[in-house]
Each structure stands twice: as structure tokens, then as C-alpha cells.
Amino acid sequence: METIGADLAQMQRTPLADSHVAALRAAGRVIDYPAGTMLSKPGDPFDHFVYVEAGEVEVVNPFTNERLVPSTIGPTQFLGEIAFLDGGSWSLSMRTAAPTRVIAVPRAAMLTLMSQIPEMSDIVITVFAARRRRQLDAGDGSLVLIGEAEDRNVRQVAVFASRNKIPYRSLALGSPEAQETATSCQVSADVPAVIFGRDTVVTEPTPAKVARLLGLNRDLHDDEAFDVLIVGGGPAGVAAGVYAGAEGLRALVIEDAAVGGQAGTSSRIENYMGFPTGISGADLVWRGEVQALKFGTRFALPRRVDRLDRLDDGDFCATFECGQRVRGRAVVAATGVQYRRLPIERLEAFEGAGVYYAATEIEARYCKGTEVIIIGGGNSAGQAAMYLSRSARCVRLLVRGTSLAASMSSYLSSRLEADPGITIEYGAEVTALHGDDHLEGVTIRNAATGESREVASRALFIMVGAAPNTGWMSGLAALDKGGFVLTGAGAGVDSPYATSQPGIFAVGDVRAGSVKRVASSVGEGSVVISKVWEFVNGE
């Protein structure tokens, strides 16, 4: 299956050409460092591209101050990873292991060079992506979570990091590794903690606090102006971000949880053109995010738009949950849908503690050895069943109807039916949840016979019912009776993605009448930008 990048250990290294190095030298400055100089620490701003002309640079474990990996970076190589594109923060410590000469190019100048010299851009992005993959595979990031299994706040940070492809290490509470790490940071190993680098222990951890440390949740200027605000970072929103940046529009993609949206929770997509061996939804959209960043589109996360207003001058003003505001001449609504909360007593109390709405690597770890119950009959539910069956004792798929034919792709339903570890129950529903602090079992009722039985389970996945995320639009655009945004003829306009409010466009699952598939969302997000460009430029 395809991933976010090449295997760094096996890929053939392509050095920058002499002309590329000359361009770097013209845009930057040459600096000589003695051995033992710290070039970066976790949390430092990624404000320069650093090319090594002579010497040697090593990656350092921030907790022990020893070399982290055996390989080093030498002449004709460069420092950094994918966070450079978005102006994030360093996640690793880098130190000269010998007297070293580098060319340091300011980030803005380097991004300009990459836009002007695509061959150099290809080399840099390929290496950056491979390095991020290696960090994820090895867990080499400077973000350390202690007690993920025991603490809900730490678990929320783990979910945020995992879904946004942020490398981190998870240590069991009280383990020798946790004890060693906690001692170096002067905190108790018996208390759940989130640690960044060696010097920062995050009190009352939240995804927003961690995002700020990583440079993801940067402060925007109040009333900062953009050509287009793209609300939602799923496939449609990220595709819009790619094409907006490519067309020279100043674009901001706003996402409240994780880039990828609901599609980012799909463990394997096999029917997306160009990926014959399949790709996860998160990896697919992450690649799109990198493309958008390359073209200059900015991302803000985790940020939620609470309301949208139209100003007297015709611009739009989006207000975040923190009260901060940004302006846009146009708006693309790409907020998609979310699974509905089922009317089951104590459901909210168990959310994150046995009740889940996504089946990613994080949730799969919590399912080891238990029977997993999934509610839903669509492709997302089917993909979750296949993925979770690798780690769970068994998987039980509960379908309200009598068949999967109308709701699930044929190739997927056939695999479910052939898998001995997966049971499909038609006409079944969950009526009760059991447990104290964590889910321990559910009651399943057969709609045809009325018979109920209790099944022991520590993991219930709800993947049914599509509720559109449109409350933030503040009534500016017309909705259908289900809450989906009306566009085209349904909104009384000619453009298929325009809404009843001039300047607001809607794409993807949030749009009434759209086909609820990743490929169609990507297509809509790509196509809509031509109309956005016309609106912004008065054509």
C-alpha cells in the first residue's frame, strides 16, 4: 500500500545540482560552525533552509543529549523535514559533529527558489517526505506522551498527532522508559504527561497547545485578509487549497481537528485512481496538503469557525472559537459531514473511552484482544471492519437494513463476507452501553425478533448517519431540509458549486446532491477554484 513518502533507508539519494547550489548561495549566506554547535532544538522556528557544504551534522536525543540515529548529514545534503514548508517548528535537535560549513537560506527566499526551480523542489520535497515517514515509523519525534491508555487528555493529543502525521513516542505509565524520560524532565513517571523536547511539560494538555508548540497553530493577525477562506480540511478542502495556491490566490484552509476530515479515518482506499495497491485516506490527503503548502496555501489547525458574517464592503469575516477573526473575499465551504450521535444512554460519557467514530492506528491499539462492534453499512464501516480485524479478537458489523448492496462497494462487501474474523448482523441495533469509566459491553437487539442480548466489548465504532457541518455559516447560504448547502439550480444560480450567497461556494459532502466519495470531493474542490478566481477578480 502507498504511504506518505519513500523509504529513506532504501531510496536512492539525488543530490542538488551545481546550479541549485549556486542559487542557494546567491539567496543565502555561508556560515561556519565549530563542532558541538546546536543548530536547532525542538520548538525553534523553521525559518531557514540549511545546506551542508562541509562537515557533519547529527540528530540528537533531547532527553539524553546523545546521538539519536547512527547516520549523519554530510556534504551535499541538507537539513529539515516537511514542517519547513508551512513555517512550523523543529521537532528534532540537530548538532554539528565536526566543524561544519553551511549555506543558510531564509525560508521565504527558499520557497521562492522552489517555485522557480521545480527540479530542486522535487528533490527537497521527496527527501522531506521520506524523513517524515522515517520519523513516524521510528517514533523519533521530540513529542513524548506518557499514560496515553490511562488519560483521556493525553489520548486526545495522541489522536491529533496520529491523524496529522506528527511523530511522537507513547510510553506506558510507570514503564522503565517513562521513568527515565520523566526523571530527565523532573516530573513524576506515575502521572500522565505530555512532554515536548526536554524543557516543556504541557500542563492540562490539549491538541491546540501541542499544535502551538509544533508551529501549526500560529497566531494570525486579527482581521488578516485572504483571497479565499477554505473552511474544512478534508479531500475537497485540501484540493481547493492546491488549486487556489496554484492559481496565485492567497488562501487559508481552516480545519478544526485533522487534515483529512472524515476521509482521513479510512484505513485503506483501493478505488481511487492512481493507487492500485491502495492508500489510506490520511496519507492521500497529507500528500495533497504538501502540494498545497508548496504553492503557498496556508493551513490553520486546530481552528474551528464559529460564525461567518458578510461585511459592509462585501468581504466575509470568519470568527474562530477563540474570538479571533480573519477576512476573505470569497469562501469555500468544505466542512463535510460527521457521524450522528445515536440516542443511546451514556453514549457521550463513553466517547473516547470505548466509543469511537474513527478507525485509525490509535483506535486499533485499543482493540487488541477484544470483540469490536461496528455500527454502519457504508464503505467507511466496511474499511474499518477489515482494518480492525487485524488486531481485534473478532469484529461484529451491525447493519440496520437487510443487505449491503445499496450502501457498500461490491469488492468490499465480498471481502467482509469471506473473512472468518468478521460477522455481519442484519436488522441489528445497539440499545444500551455497559461499564464504569470505560465501555465493557453493549446490548444488541434484533429488530425482526425483538430479542436482546449482551455482548462483552471494549470498543464500539459508530459509522452511520451523515450530519452536515453547516452551523457556522450563520444562515448566509440556503440549506435543504437535511441541512446540506444548496448550490447551482437548487440555489437559483448557474454555477454548480455557487450558493445562494454570492461569494460563497460549497463542495464535497456538505453540498446537497453531491456524490459521497473521496474522488468526487477532490474533483469538486479542484474545479470550484476557477469560479472563485473569477469572483475574486471581478469577472
Side-chain angles (χ1 to χ4, degrees):
M1 190 168 75
E2 297 284 346
T3 63
I4 63 172
D7 185 336
L8 190 62
Q10 298 181 8
M11 65 183 287
Q12 182 176 357
R13 189 170 68 86
T14 303
L16 296 180
D18 291 343
S19 59
H20 301 160
V21 178
L24 296 178
R25 190 175 287 109
R29 62 192 182 101
V30 175
I31 307 175
D32 288 300
Y33 292 107
T37 302
M38 295 301 299
L39 300 183
S40 70
K41 295 180 180 179
D44 286 351
F46 234 134
D47 52 8
H48 281 78
F49 177 86
V50 179
Y51 176 84
V52 179
E53 284 199 299
E56 184 181 21
V57 179
E58 60 185 351
V59 183
V60 179
N61 185 322
F63 300 99
T64 65
N65 212 34
E66 300 295 327
R67 180 177 290 186
L68 181 64
V69 293
S71 59
T72 58
I73 296 175
T76 74
Q77 295 179 287
F78 47 86
L79 309 189
E81 54 101 21
I82 212 72
F84 172 82
L85 297 180
D86 197 27
S89 302
W90 284 90
S91 63
L92 292 173
S93 298
M94 308 294 292
R95 180 176 62 197
T96 56
T100 300
R101 170 170 292 184
V102 305
I103 302 174
V105 183
R107 175 176 169 273
M110 184 61 190
L111 293 179
T112 298
L113 288 179
M114 290 173 67
S115 68
Q116 296 171 344
I117 311 173
E119 297 82 7
M120 179 171 69
S121 176
D122 292 346
I123 295 171
V124 171
I125 289 177
T126 298
V127 172
F128 279 179
R131 286 177 177 169
R132 174 59 65 91
R133 174 182 167 179
R134 194 205 66 80
Q135 280 189 276
L136 290 169
D137 291 345
D140 280 346
S142 295
L143 179 64
V144 177
L145 312 183
I146 299 177
E148 173 191 336
E150 290 80 10
D151 188 270
R152 186 172 297 194
N153 289 338
V154 178
R155 195 155 55 241
Q156 287 179 342
V157 171
V159 170
F160 172 78
S162 178
R163 291 191 60 191
N164 284 288
K165 301 297 179 185
I166 298 168
Y168 72 96
R169 283 194 298 147
S170 181
L171 306 179
L173 198 63
S175 67
E177 295 85 356
Q179 181 70 54
E180 181 182 359
T181 301
T183 299
S184 71
C185 301
Q186 300 182 336
V187 298
S188 172
D190 298 322
V191 177
V194 173
I195 303 168
F196 184 64
R198 183 178 178 176
D199 303 324
T200 305
V201 178
V202 185
T203 57
E204 299 181 0
T206 65
K209 289 182 178 180
V210 171
R212 183 172 293 278
L213 289 172
L214 293 166
L216 299 175
N217 196 356
R218 294 187 306 279
D219 289 329
L220 296 160
H221 303 303
D222 218 12
D223 290 319
E224 188 168 349
F226 295 85
D227 291 324
V228 57
L229 303 176
I230 302 168
V231 186
V238 172
V242 171
Y243 278 78
E247 294 301 322
L249 295 175
R250 191 161 186 262
L252 177 68
V253 178
I254 306 162
E255 170 56 42
D256 70 345
V259 173
Q262 195 179 83
T265 67
S266 295
S267 56
R268 188 184 185 98
I269 299 173
E270 292 189 70
N271 56 355
Y272 192 90
M273 189 182 71
F275 296 94
T277 59
I279 188 171
S280 74
D283 289 354
L284 175 67
V285 183
W286 188 86
R287 288 183 173 206
E289 179 187 4
V290 172
Q291 284 180 282
L293 291 171
K294 182 183 77 169
F295 287 124
T297 294
R298 293 174 61 184
F299 285 74
L301 76 152
R303 295 285 179 90
R304 187 182 72 247
V305 176
D306 268 359
R307 65 173 292 110
L308 184 69
D309 297 290
R310 184 135 208 182
L311 306 177
D312 292 340
D313 62 3
D315 284 358
F316 296 94
C317 176
T319 303
F320 298 145
E321 79 285 356
C322 61
Q324 190 176 44
R325 301 176 305 178
V326 290
R327 294 171 59 127
R329 298 174 65 186
V331 174
V332 174
T335 39
V337 298
Q338 60 187 1
Y339 295 123
R340 297 184 187 274
R341 274 201 175 112
L342 298 179
I344 305 173
E345 189 174 350
R346 299 185 67 201
L347 178 69
E348 188 172 354
F350 285 122
E351 288 178 342
V355 172
Y356 308 107
Y357 296 89
T360 67
E361 179 187 358
I362 292 289
E363 291 80 14
R365 293 210 302 263
Y366 304 151
C367 295
K368 289 183 178 179
T370 190
E371 175 169 341
V372 168
I373 296 172
I374 302 173
I375 302 174
N379 277 6
S380 294
Q383 289 162 353
M386 294 297 299
Y387 179 65
L388 296 172
S389 66
R390 304 174 193 168
S391 55
R393 178 166 55 83
C394 59
V395 174
R396 189 184 302 266
L397 183 66
L398 305 183
V399 182
R400 184 173 55 182
T402 59
S403 170
L404 292 173
S407 59
M408 187 180 294
S409 297
S410 177
Y411 83 91
L412 191 53
S413 61
S414 297
R415 289 183 184 177
L416 296 180
E417 292 165 353
D419 194 317
I422 299 174
T423 300
I424 305 174
E425 292 190 20
Y426 297 101
E429 61 181 355
V430 172
T431 57
L433 308 177
H434 311 288
D436 295 322
D437 296 332
H438 195 285
L439 182 70
E440 296 175 4
V442 304
T443 296
I444 299 175
R445 176 181 176 273
N446 184 291
T449 65
E451 177 189 356
S452 294
R453 68 192 190 282
E454 187 173 329
V455 176
S457 174
R458 292 177 57 81
L460 170 66
F461 291 81
I462 300 174
M463 298 182 166
V464 64
N469 297 312
T470 52
W472 60 275
M473 298 183 74
S474 311
L476 287 179
L479 311 177
D480 69 6
K481 61 181 181 181
F484 293 87
V485 183
L486 291 169
T487 59
V493 293
D494 293 332
S495 173
Y497 306 116
T499 70
S500 59
Q501 179 73 232
I504 298 181
F505 303 82
V507 293
D509 289 0
V510 76
R511 188 178 68 83
S514 65
V515 177
K516 307 302 189 271
R517 289 289 186 270
V518 173
S520 60
S521 293
V522 170
E524 291 187 9
S526 306
V527 171
V528 73
I529 292 303
S530 64
K531 294 301 181 182
V532 171
W533 193 92
E534 290 176 3
F535 179 84
V536 168
N537 288 279
E539 295 187 4

